Amino acid sequence: RERHRAGRRRRVRVLVGSVIVTTVVIRVLLAERQLPHEFLEESAWSAETTVPRYNPLNKVPALQLDDGECLYDSRVIAEYLDAISGGRFLPSEARARARVHCREALGDGIADAIEHAGNSCLQGGGVAVYQPDHVIHVAHMVGDATAAP
């Protein structure tokens, strides 16, 4: 398990997956703001997972505050970390802030579609089953994302 401490503020515990896209923003915010934290690398899919203790949806990232309360969903965690560290990560103007949240939602949707496509490809005892409709769906989402203002 990777552990990192920084700063003098109260430390938070962050459950992250090593290859999960949604944890990258959380890692960047913690590093940029030098917020004291402890990383716990977890896989929601392992038999020994502790993720449900922190997130009832059994997903990472999750953030445990020093009093034991847990926050989950990368957008919720990012907004919380931004608020406690000066509030400069997200724009304050309503339309600009909404655009950021739309792009976050789009990114999360693309990540979910990729995960779903990957899971669909591994059916029947680990035999890869190619699902062209999933690839087309992800390609359309990415195309829509690159066309967004």
Side-chain angles (χ1 to χ4, degrees):
R1 290 187 168 161
E2 172 189 357
R3 298 184 188 277
H4 174 73
R5 295 180 187 182
R8 294 188 189 108
R9 296 183 193 142
R10 292 183 179 176
R11 193 167 47 129
V12 296
R13 175 177 288 160
V14 185
L15 271 69
V16 295
S18 58
V19 294
I20 306 295
V21 174
T22 56
T23 65
V24 172
V25 170
I26 306 308
R27 289 176 183 265
V28 168
L29 266 170
L30 289 165
E32 276 192 7
R33 302 297 171 82
Q34 298 180 347
L35 295 171
H37 60 279
E38 172 186 17
F39 281 134
L40 298 176
E41 296 282 342
E42 282 278 351
S43 169
W45 307 113
S46 74
E48 315 74 49
T49 188
T50 63
V51 174
R53 290 185 207 158
Y54 306 95
N55 181 349
L57 300 172
N58 194 33
K59 290 183 172 185
V60 292
L63 179 108
Q64 184 181 38
L65 305 176
D66 62 336
D67 66 358
E69 182 180 356
C70 294
L71 305 176
Y72 43 90
D73 186 85
S74 57
R75 288 175 275 193
V76 172
I77 296 168
E79 187 128 357
Y80 173 80
L81 294 175
D82 184 50
I84 66 167
S85 63
R88 298 175 312 273
F89 186 71
L90 295 170
S92 58
E93 193 270 318
R95 182 174 270 186
R97 191 177 197 90
R99 280 190 193 118
V100 167
H101 288 307
C102 281
R103 289 187 178 126
E104 286 174 327
L106 183 61
D108 288 348
I110 291 171
D112 287 346
I114 291 169
E115 180 182 6
H116 179 69
N119 290 339
S120 296
C121 288
L122 295 175
Q123 298 173 352
V127 176
V129 178
Y130 178 65
Q131 301 281 334
D133 57 320
H134 293 151
V135 174
I136 292 168
H137 179 65
V138 171
H140 282 293
M141 293 174 77
V142 171
D144 291 345
T146 58

